[in-house]
Amino acid sequence: MRMDAIRTTEHQQLDRQALIQIYRDHSPGMYRYAYRMLGNQGLAEDCVSDTFTRYIGLLRQGRQLEGNLQAYLYRMVHNWVVDYYRKHTPTETLESDAHPAPDGNPEADVHERQETEALRTALARLPHEQRMVIELRYIEEWSHSKVAKILGKTVDATRALQYRALASLRQLLEEREEQYHG
């Protein structure tokens, strides 16, 4: 066996191990992010799977990805969800594995699902960066500095983006409420 063949084999093994570690490090957060946007376990799993498949495809093409890997992967997840909603009209569905509590309040359960769906729909209508800042700050509970790093912005710019995102989200939810009750 030639020396360069050994290096190639070792390099491929290192790449494989690096990809496994990237998956282990990032897939749980990506799944949570996708699940919140989609509200469906199977779709969230498909999203994460397709995202990593596309990422590996880009690496195989020899594309050099610059910037923060985590931000890049989250952006890929977001784009997958946007594409999904462009192809499918979001509808409220009852998940087949959801079982109401025997002493629960069915009316309250339906109301909670409707509110969750309204929030999910409103978030989906926000511009990409506004949605990301809300998801990462409030749901993932990241610090302003970590979100700023992911978005490639200053902390002050991220705070301003968060303010605008919350104002936009509030406006979208108020519009929905007016349509629903008006």
Side-chain angles (χ1 to χ4, degrees):
M1 181 180 267
R2 295 185 349 232
M3 189 61 153
D4 59 345
I6 294 172
R7 279 192 215 124
T8 302
T9 303
E10 289 173 2
H11 182 67
Q12 288 171 344
Q13 185 63 30
L14 290 175
D15 286 347
R16 183 172 184 261
Q17 291 303 317
L19 287 172
I20 290 169
Q21 191 59 48
I22 288 169
Y23 182 82
R24 286 181 180 155
D25 290 346
H26 298 287
S27 65
M30 292 168 55
Y31 171 80
R32 286 189 309 270
Y33 186 69
Y35 182 78
R36 281 191 305 275
M37 291 191 289
L38 296 164
N40 180 291
Q41 179 180 351
L43 286 174
E45 290 169 354
D46 289 347
C47 175
V48 172
S49 174
D50 289 350
T51 297
F52 274 103
T53 299
R54 280 192 254 162
Y55 174 67
I56 291 168
L58 293 172
L59 294 176
R60 285 185 178 154
Q61 293 172 6
R63 291 199 40 202
Q64 292 294 326
L65 306 176
E66 296 180 17
N68 185 296
L69 175 62
Q70 187 175 30
Y72 187 82
L73 291 171
Y74 272 69
R75 192 169 301 117
M76 289 177 76
V77 168
H78 178 81
N79 292 341
W80 191 98
V81 172
V82 169
D83 289 345
Y84 174 81
Y85 279 121
R86 282 184 185 141
K87 294 175 187 170
H88 305 88
T89 304
T91 58
E92 185 167 346
T93 60
L94 299 175
E95 294 189 25
S96 60
D97 60 343
H99 300 287
D103 59 344
N105 180 340
E107 186 176 325
D109 291 343
V110 168
H111 179 72
E112 183 178 334
R113 280 193 297 271
Q114 288 173 337
E115 292 296 314
T116 300
E117 187 60 31
L119 180 59
R120 184 177 295 118
T121 301
L123 279 169
R125 293 180 58 196
L126 290 177
H128 173 70
E129 284 188 338
Q130 287 186 6
R131 181 183 177 107
M132 279 191 81
V133 77
I134 288 175
E135 291 276 344
L136 297 176
R137 282 282 300 133
Y138 293 103
I139 299 172
E140 292 295 323
E141 298 178 350
W142 289 7
S143 68
H144 279 289
S145 60
K146 188 172 181 182
V147 174
K149 185 176 180 181
I150 293 291
L151 296 176
K153 297 183 178 297
T154 65
V155 171
D156 288 338
T158 303
R159 287 179 191 268
L161 178 64
Q162 175 184 315
Y163 177 82
R164 288 190 308 274
L166 289 172
S168 296
L169 184 61
R170 187 177 307 110
Q171 179 66 33
L172 289 168
L173 291 171
E174 286 172 1
E175 288 172 7
R176 180 202 176 269
E177 191 67 23
E178 287 172 10
Q179 290 174 349
Y180 185 73
H181 292 336

